[in-house]
Amino acid sequence: MSDSLTLYTNPMSRGRIARWILEETGADYETRLVKYDGDMHSPEYLAINPMGKVPAIVHGDKIVTECAAICAYLADTFPEAGLSPKPDERADYYRWLFFAAGPVEAAVANRSLGIDIPEDKKRMVGYGDFDLMRNTLISAVSGRPYICGDRFTAADVYIGSQVGWGLQFGSIPPSPELTAYSERVYARDAFKRASAKDDAAMAEMN
């Protein structure tokens, strides 16, 4: 497989998560900026992601979409970065990574859309209700620095992004635990580098 690695992104999207994990790996990569109007639904881009959404990465002849998958893939592909879980971290790593990709994403989206789950339908959705999801998320980041314990992993990129965005835009009400966790992961140099690159890309696209 070729070593070429390309990020397809828009700085006003979840592509910021993919940029952050790429910066954490230290890998060399190219960036292709994809505009919402036109580019995302062009035949060329739909051949990469038929959903017509960003981010996507192309690594040699392999394509990865979905931010949680991108985080896990890059952590495994660049083991020298130390972002994959150690054996005793795997349970927490996979549990909370998929919790954030499933219940957190769904609960936050539905709440933002004004969708309330009726009491008798809560068993039908994976998160029950928003408060249950939020309380569970708080428990996940409480009592330890990172989601797997004392060590930062790729799961913290994805979960940290979800928490940080939720606090920033008001889609997740704050708590001392969520605020402390967000501040901790956002203090990383790789996050700062990624944010600076995306902010510069925003200016380039305007």
Side-chain angles (χ1 to χ4, degrees), residues 16 161-174 182 186 191:
R16 285 182 173 256
S161 296
Q162 298 281 36
V163 171
W165 285 351
L167 296 178
Q168 179 181 355
F169 295 108
S171 57
I172 299 178
S182 178
Y186 275 10
F191 173 79

Side-chain angles (χ1 to χ4, degrees), residues 70-88:
I70 290 171
C71 288
Y73 174 82
L74 290 173
D76 289 346
T77 301
F78 298 97
E80 63 276 9
L83 298 167
S84 290
K86 296 178 180 178
D88 64 344

Side-chain angles (χ1 to χ4, degrees), residues 131-151:
D131 289 338
L132 177 59
M133 178 283 294
R134 178 176 174 272
N135 289 336
T136 304
L137 183 60
I138 290 171
S139 73
V141 302
S142 298
R144 52 188 175 177
Y146 301 108
I147 211 69
C148 292
D150 294 331
R151 202 174 67 87

Side-chain angles (χ1 to χ4, degrees), residues 101-130:
V104 174
E105 276 265 7
V108 169
N110 283 346
R111 183 173 186 264
S112 298
L113 294 169
I115 299 173
D116 293 321
I117 306 301
E119 188 67 32
D120 63 340
K121 304 296 184 185
K122 289 181 179 180
R123 287 186 297 177
M124 295 179 62
V125 295
Y127 62 88
D129 63 29
F130 182 86

Side-chain angles (χ1 to χ4, degrees), residues 52-73:
K53 294 184 176 182
V54 290
I57 62 168
V58 178
H59 188 204
D61 60 354
K62 303 299 183 183
I63 296 170
V64 187
T65 63
E66 314 313 315
C67 287
I70 290 171
C71 288
Y73 174 82

